[in-house]
Amino acid sequence: MSREGVTPQSEDFSAWYNELVVQAQLVDRGPVRGTMVIRPYGYRVWELLQADLDRRIKDAGHDNACFPMLIPESYFKREAEHVEGFSPELAVVTHAGGKDLEEPLVMRPTSETVIGEYMAKWIDSHRDLPLLLNQWANVVRWEMRPRMFLRTTEFLWQEGHTAHIDEGDAMRETMWALDTYASVARELAAIPVIAGEKTPGERFAGAVRTYTIEGMMRDGRALQAGTSHYLGTNFAKAFEIQYQDEAGKLTLAHTTSWGMSTRMIGGMIMTHGDDKGLVLPPRLAPYQVVIVPIGRKEQGEQAAAEARRLGAAIKSMGIRVHVDDNRPQLSPGFKFNEWEMRGVPVRIELGKRDIEGGVATVVRRLPTVEGQGKEQIPLDKVPEVLPGILAEFQSFLLARAEAFREEHTAAVDAWDAFTAQVGTGWARAFHCGSTACEDEIKAETAATPRVIPAEAPEETGVCVKCGQPSAYGKRVIFGKAY
Amino acid sequence: MSREGVTPQSEDFSAWYNELVVQAQLVDRGPVRGTMVIRPYGYRVWELLQADLDRRIKDAGHDNACFPMLIPESYFKREAEHVEGFSPELAVVTHAGGKDLEEPLVMRPTSETVIGEYMAKWIDSHRDLPLLLNQWANVVRWEMRPRMFLRTTEFLWQEGHTAHIDEGDAMRETMWALDTYASVARELAAIPVIAGEKTPGERFAGAVRTYTIEGMMRDGRALQAGTSHYLGTNFAKAFEIQYQDEAGKLTLAHTTSWGMSTRMIGGMIMTHGDDKGLVLPPRLAPYQVVIVPIGRKEQGEQAAAEARRLGAAIKSMGIRVHVDDNRPQLSPGFKFNEWEMRGVPVRIELGKRDIEGGVATVVRRLPTVEGQGKEQIPLDKVPEVLPGILAEFQSFLLARAEAFREEHTAAVDAWDAFTAQVGTGWARAFHCGSTACEDEIKAETAATPRVIPAEAPEETGVCVKCGQPSAYGKRVIFGKAY
């Protein structure tokens, strides 16, 4: 692997990404177009993300469940916008158990319809609300332009589905999910996302309001990394999700849904990676530290023994460490390149001179402070200094990405400035709120409204495209998107 | 729920099971025939099982990965026995993204074929072996006689897939998986399974040797609760899984596969449940302890406050406890019945007299010792005695199930005795090893050879059916199976 490295980002960002995800052993292309095999190194990232998010979901009172993958086609047709939005992407089972099926079955692209059917069954009284469900599942959407992690025919995600007594309670839930996604993106993946609402043209099929977190990738494009939807009573009407209120009156529930997927891994890669390969935030790194013993024969044996001792001491600090002591056929230089390619935050080199001097050479994947890329640390101090180095590296990645985003974001009011700005990053601009106008902007620049930032200051102005008064009371972020 | 209870086991064991899984809120019937919705209470059991088994799998050096659900039909055709075994059960996607597909795609019934394809890609040298993979996945098998947890069209499982340098190493792996499954069944689900090899007629499609763990349900039938397969070089040949040995020679790898599924939950239910409902082993119980405060109005409030205090103290011991303090509309008697139906190992009642006396009434779901069904324990002692009570309850269930199995198992040598024995339990009998003879036994009695027990004493005799010499050097366990 990775003897030849990857295409530089500056030369071809797409090629860099497509080569890197394979060379770093995160994924392999699946046997069916648009599918992926998530290899152990990539799957471990997902497990780390999943464990953290699952804890947050449970702590907030949600229960995990498991609904079937196959959904009768008729369920999809009950919510008109929903079926229109998803129809082109469906994969359909027509034949099973040696026979043609009477009704085709759809592989779930999302589960509002099947879960709606059961919510209706399980909810009788206001006492049954809120109903707070989540599932970790695979879903299938037939993608025209597939790309590993970002848009694959099958992907992994969690989907939260909740039912509430009224709009107020459902909106609190919708915003809880949005805040949770923003925290996970920032704290784990070190992606400084912008959270806020989507414009009507970018809403989820069947939602009343859609909220999103958007991150800026190192090519200046936006990635939607999680969404939370207030569905109003749309699905409640379609599936008869009703409850008896305290006065005994049958009332429609208000529902929400929210999802975060393996796409987040793609976002992490494109937020931090460089021409040498991945750069993994320590909180999502399968190996936070790798130790490479150096030397041949007896000297190599001595270094390997020392590396294993050090590895055990580091592991006892609760750090994920890997000792690369089992590949004598490879040179240290090859190993260094490989662990850089695979994005391990901290590499520890242990050679003859290090051991004689009672030190280890500690190398960060990126220099966090001027001149601090590589330093020698007394062997017995290494385990105790590593938690600080890893925490600092995690913060450094978030701050670096935030600075990058700010450098590549500008408030613009003129159309020329707008088109120039979305060529390299994000434009903060006023918009009239018309979907037709959004479509014109997209046709001319390939940019779309990514998010109406929740935290942007209140401002008014005129639409950067059509000159009509702005609709949102603040600037909207526009950019080209994945 | 459960106001009316379930059909008694003695009256109709199937009805008892089918009613119980729904009434205890473990599952609901899915929208498509043979599918199930696993509700939060059932899914939590699965999560507890999964967490433990996943830790064992990782500790033994396996990595989790994720392979695609959709497999090209052509992959299935490469291993002749495999395709023959699984063809009748396949669900097939013929249409996706608005178009008919050129090649139909099969929803995985198991993943040997797709994983074989990637093993071949990832393995070059003997240094790449063993390759130890596992995935947690949903699989689809179109079942003719579906039953919740036991045989559903879609189910959840883990499937281990490994490649090895030779038969010896692959067989060590096969036996490791079998031992691990037996430990999980015994230690968590409290099912005293018998582990051993399957006869040739009962082998997995494509395996050289299949090993199984078999548990006896309370109707005397057997449930296969996990299997481990030595696949020899069958899949290695079909998918060209080869490595260069130390001398540089291309050599076929030896592979294994092994799986445990949501079926285990069905086994747990049918091993311990009774006419009042579920009986959950504490290690798999979503709630190990439930506290029911008793009383109305002010007195009820006082009891609820005391229950919450006690709940917090119990939770701090690492025990999963639920305080039932939020349903004033239901009577204590209704709640007691409901928690019995749902199988909670220990119920704590807190009424006025208990609180005045400074005690709690502690009720085990089953009396573990004569007369010890219900006892009063000083309030401040409750948290410290519960771990012992739960551990004892766990052991009690295993011992009770083991005694039941022994009572319903007998060594038989005559055909009449055999047919009588398999009417109510298991027969330990000699068999000639012929698959045709197995088929005759099945046709006449509905019983099949479940397992050649690894730990049975060496014995020889003549086949209970045809009188030919016995083939296995020991008695085989025969029984009717789920």
Side-chain angles (χ1 to χ4, degrees):
Chain A
M1 67 140 284
S2 72
R3 278 173 210 277
E4 65 293 335
V6 288
T7 301
Q9 289 186 341
S10 56
E11 197 175 296
D12 184 340
F13 195 84
S14 279
W16 169 82
Y17 180 83
N18 293 337
E19 292 164 19
L20 178 56
V21 292
V22 172
Q23 284 198 32
Q25 299 180 35
L26 295 171
V27 291
D28 242 340
R29 248 169 277 283
V32 174
R33 182 170 176 282
T35 63
M36 65 178 165
V37 173
I38 309 181
R39 299 184 67 174
Y41 198 64
Y43 196 76
R44 190 75 192 115
V45 176
W46 179 242
E47 287 184 317
L48 291 163
L49 186 70
Q50 186 177 32
D52 184 276
L53 180 54
D54 190 62
R55 185 184 50 71
R56 294 180 198 240
I57 289 170
K58 285 183 174 142
D59 284 351
H62 306 83
D63 289 317
N64 283 343
C66 177
F67 291 83
M69 149 72 80
L70 293 172
I71 302 180
E73 204 175 40
S74 57
Y75 279 35
F76 263 86
K77 298 185 174 158
R78 289 199 216 160
E79 213 294 328
E81 284 188 23
H82 193 65
V83 67
E84 193 188 323
F86 280 103
S87 277
E89 300 182 358
L90 298 180
V92 188
V93 176
T94 56
H95 189 90
K99 288 182 186 164
D100 288 334
L101 294 172
E102 286 181 24
E103 179 180 5
L105 302 175
V106 164
M107 293 178 80
R108 63 179 164 223
T110 179
S111 302
E112 279 77 6
T113 58
V114 62
I115 295 182
E117 176 81 1
Y118 286 87
M119 281 181 165
K121 196 170 167 182
W122 297 336
I123 295 169
D124 287 319
S125 148
H126 63 95
R127 294 181 197 278
D128 299 322
L129 298 176
L131 179 59
L132 307 175
L133 298 173
N134 179 63
Q135 74 174 358
W136 293 92
N138 52 346
V139 289
V140 171
R141 298 179 186 179
W142 221 255
E143 294 287 354
M144 293 301 102
R145 297 167 301 139
R147 185 177 287 201
M148 298 295 101
F149 290 120
L150 305 181
R151 268 192 318 275
T152 46
T153 297
E154 179 188 0
F155 59 91
L156 305 181
W157 76 347
Q158 61 65 222
E159 46 180 325
H161 295 270
T162 67
H164 303 263
I165 207 155
D166 58 19
E167 175 171 352
D169 202 50
M171 276 302 301
R172 272 189 293 280
E173 174 75 16
T174 308
M175 300 314 289
W176 170 84
L178 183 70
D179 289 348
T180 299
Y181 289 162
S183 298
V184 166
R186 289 177 188 141
E187 293 166 21
L188 272 69
I191 306 178
V193 291
I194 304 280
E197 195 175 347
K198 284 281 191 194
T199 63
E202 296 276 323
R203 264 181 213 140
F204 175 76
V208 172
R209 290 191 274 279
T210 285
Y211 295 82
T212 181
I213 56 170
E214 301 277 327
M216 183 187 280
M217 307 294 102
R218 289 187 70 79
D219 63 351
R221 285 181 184 247
L223 185 83
Q224 174 180 306
T227 49
S228 180
H229 315 292
Y230 167 60
L231 304 172
T233 55
N234 292 346
F235 286 87
K237 272 180 213 148
F239 289 90
E240 299 178 16
I241 308 171
Q242 304 178 92
Y243 65 94
Q244 283 208 319
D245 67 14
E246 294 200 40
K249 185 166 149 268
L250 261 188
T251 310
L252 287 171
H254 291 245
T255 68
T256 84
S257 67
W258 30 277
M260 182 182 274
S261 75
T262 36
R263 182 166 235 235
M264 179 62 83
I265 299 174
M268 175 195 75
I269 296 167
M270 293 195 294
T271 299
H272 305 298
D274 63 20
D275 289 351
K276 288 183 179 175
L278 296 180
V279 178
L280 296 175
R283 292 195 57 186
L284 292 180
Y287 305 136
Q288 299 172 307
V289 174
V290 64
I291 308 178
V292 182
I294 299 168
R296 294 182 168 277
K297 294 182 181 168
E298 199 181 320
Q299 190 183 301
E301 268 314 301
Q302 201 196 332
E306 192 62 52
R308 286 188 286 270
R309 263 195 297 278
L310 182 60
I314 291 172
K315 192 180 172 195
S316 74
M317 301 290 293
I319 293 171
R320 294 184 292 274
V321 59
H322 175 69
V323 181
D324 188 0
D325 63 344
N326 200 22
R327 306 191 294 171
Q329 75 278 16
L330 302 176
S331 71
F334 180 93
K335 291 179 186 174
F336 298 167
N337 286 341
E338 180 179 296
W339 293 120
E340 284 183 342
M341 172 70 75
R342 299 183 79 184
V344 176
V346 172
R347 176 177 83 233
I348 297 178
E349 305 171 6
L350 264 188
K352 189 182 175 216
R353 209 173 301 172
D354 293 306
I355 293 167
E356 283 171 2
V359 298
T361 301
V362 174
V363 189
R364 294 165 175 79
R365 175 63 179 76
L366 292 173
T368 51
V369 184
E370 198 68 47
Q372 276 211 11
K374 196 162 181 167
E375 60 187 318
Q376 296 202 310
I377 296 176
L379 268 172
D380 59 345
K381 296 282 177 211
V382 170
E384 65 197 69
V385 302
L386 278 175
I389 290 177
L390 292 168
E392 184 210 47
F393 194 77
Q394 180 83 30
S395 306
F396 166 77
L397 290 183
L398 181 65
R400 188 179 76 133
E402 195 151 9
F404 180 88
R405 189 194 71 203
E406 289 310 302
E407 279 165 31
H408 293 81
T409 303
V412 294
D413 293 315
W415 181 245
D416 280 359
F418 180 93
T419 57
Q421 182 59 29
V422 299
T424 56
W426 292 354
R428 295 176 48 239
F430 292 111
H431 191 258
C432 63
S434 139
T435 302
C437 180
E438 283 182 14
D439 291 346
E440 277 182 47
I441 292 174
K442 186 171 184 183
E444 287 185 39
T445 66
T448 48
R450 304 313 308 150
V451 58
I452 308 162
E455 294 191 354
E458 290 185 20
E459 282 182 89
T460 52
V462 298
C463 178
V464 70
K465 176 64 180 161
C466 71
Q468 293 294 308
S470 73
Y472 304 110
K474 51 177 68 173
R475 290 172 186 272
V476 176
I477 290 179
F478 280 84
K480 293 180 191 169
Y482 278 94
Chain B
M1 70 140 279
S2 72
R3 277 173 210 276
E4 66 293 334
V6 288
T7 300
Q9 290 186 341
S10 56
E11 196 175 298
D12 184 340
F13 195 83
S14 281
W16 169 83
Y17 180 83
N18 293 337
E19 292 164 18
L20 178 56
V21 292
V22 172
Q23 284 199 32
Q25 299 180 35
L26 295 171
V27 290
D28 241 339
R29 249 169 276 282
V32 174
R33 185 173 174 279
T35 62
M36 65 178 163
V37 173
I38 310 181
R39 299 185 68 174
Y41 198 64
Y43 197 76
R44 190 76 192 116
V45 176
W46 179 242
E47 286 185 318
L48 291 164
L49 186 70
Q50 185 177 33
D52 184 277
L53 180 55
D54 190 62
R55 183 184 52 71
R56 294 179 197 240
I57 289 170
K58 284 183 173 140
D59 285 351
H62 306 82
D63 290 316
N64 283 343
C66 176
F67 291 82
M69 149 72 78
L70 292 173
I71 302 179
E73 203 175 43
S74 58
Y75 280 33
F76 262 87
K77 298 184 173 157
R78 290 200 215 159
E79 214 291 331
E81 284 188 24
H82 193 64
V83 68
E84 193 188 322
F86 281 103
S87 278
E89 298 181 358
L90 298 181
V92 188
V93 175
T94 56
H95 188 90
K99 288 180 186 165
D100 287 335
L101 295 171
E102 285 180 25
E103 179 179 6
L105 302 174
V106 163
M107 293 179 81
R108 63 180 164 224
T110 178
S111 301
E112 279 77 7
T113 59
V114 62
I115 295 181
E117 176 81 2
Y118 286 85
M119 283 182 164
K121 195 169 169 183
W122 297 336
I123 295 168
D124 289 319
S125 148
H126 62 93
R127 293 180 198 279
D128 301 320
L129 296 176
L131 178 60
L132 307 177
L133 297 173
N134 179 62
Q135 74 175 357
W136 293 92
N138 51 346
V139 289
V140 172
R141 298 180 185 178
W142 220 255
E143 295 287 354
M144 293 300 103
R145 294 169 302 137
R147 188 178 285 201
M148 298 295 102
F149 291 120
L150 304 180
R151 270 191 319 275
T152 48
T153 297
E154 178 186 1
F155 59 91
L156 303 181
W157 76 348
Q158 62 65 223
E159 45 180 327
H161 294 270
T162 68
H164 303 265
I165 208 154
D166 59 18
E167 174 171 353
D169 202 48
M171 275 303 299
R172 271 190 293 279
E173 173 75 16
T174 307
M175 300 315 288
W176 169 85
L178 183 70
D179 289 349
T180 299
Y181 289 163
S183 298
V184 166
R186 288 175 189 142
E187 293 165 21
L188 272 70
I191 306 178
V193 292
I194 303 281
E197 195 175 347
K198 283 281 189 194
T199 63
E202 297 276 324
R203 262 180 214 142
F204 174 76
V208 173
R209 288 192 275 279
T210 285
Y211 296 82
T212 182
I213 55 170
E214 302 275 329
M216 180 186 282
M217 306 296 101
R218 290 186 72 78
D219 62 351
R221 286 182 183 246
L223 184 84
Q224 174 179 305
T227 50
S228 180
H229 316 290
Y230 167 60
L231 304 171
T233 56
N234 291 348
F235 286 87
K237 272 180 212 147
F239 291 89
E240 298 180 17
I241 308 170
Q242 303 179 94
Y243 65 93
Q244 284 207 318
D245 70 12
E246 293 199 43
K249 188 167 148 267
L250 261 188
T251 309
L252 286 171
H254 292 244
T255 68
T256 83
S257 67
W258 29 279
M260 182 183 274
S261 76
T262 35
R263 181 167 237 234
M264 178 63 82
I265 299 174
M268 174 194 76
I269 296 166
M270 293 195 294
T271 300
H272 306 299
D274 62 20
D275 290 349
K276 287 183 180 175
L278 296 179
V279 177
L280 296 176
R283 291 195 59 185
L284 292 180
Y287 305 136
Q288 297 172 308
V289 174
V290 65
I291 308 178
V292 181
I294 300 169
R296 294 186 167 274
K297 296 186 180 166
E298 199 181 321
Q299 191 183 300
E301 269 314 299
Q302 200 197 335
E306 192 61 53
R308 286 189 286 269
R309 263 195 297 278
L310 181 61
I314 292 172
K315 192 180 172 194
S316 74
M317 300 294 291
I319 293 171
R320 294 185 290 276
V321 59
H322 175 68
V323 181
D324 189 358
D325 63 344
N326 200 22
R327 304 191 294 172
Q329 75 279 18
L330 302 177
S331 72
F334 181 92
K335 291 179 186 174
F336 298 168
N337 286 340
E338 180 180 295
W339 294 121
E340 283 182 345
M341 171 71 73
R342 301 183 77 183
V344 176
V346 173
R347 176 178 84 232
I348 298 178
E349 305 170 5
L350 263 186
K352 189 181 174 216
R353 208 172 301 172
D354 293 305
I355 293 168
E356 284 171 0
V359 299
T361 301
V362 174
V363 189
R364 294 164 174 80
R365 177 62 178 78
L366 293 173
T368 52
V369 184
E370 198 70 46
Q372 274 211 12
K374 196 162 179 166
E375 59 187 318
Q376 295 202 309
I377 296 176
L379 268 172
D380 60 343
K381 296 284 177 209
V382 169
E384 66 197 67
V385 301
L386 278 174
I389 290 177
L390 291 169
E392 184 211 47
F393 194 77
Q394 180 84 30
S395 307
F396 166 77
L397 289 184
L398 181 65
R400 189 180 74 134
E402 195 151 8
F404 180 89
R405 187 195 72 203
E406 289 310 302
E407 279 165 31
H408 293 82
T409 303
V412 293
D413 293 314
W415 180 243
D416 281 356
F418 180 93
T419 56
Q421 182 60 31
V422 298
T424 56
W426 292 353
R428 296 176 49 240
F430 292 112
H431 191 258
C432 62
S434 141
T435 301
C437 180
E438 283 183 13
D439 292 344
E440 276 181 51
I441 292 174
K442 186 172 184 184
E444 288 185 40
T445 67
T448 48
R450 304 311 309 150
V451 58
I452 308 162
E455 295 191 354
E458 290 185 21
E459 283 182 87
T460 51
V462 297
C463 177
V464 71
K465 175 66 179 160
C466 71
Q468 293 294 308
S470 76
Y472 304 109
K474 51 176 70 171
R475 291 174 185 269
V476 176
I477 290 179
F478 281 84
K480 294 181 190 169
Y482 276 95

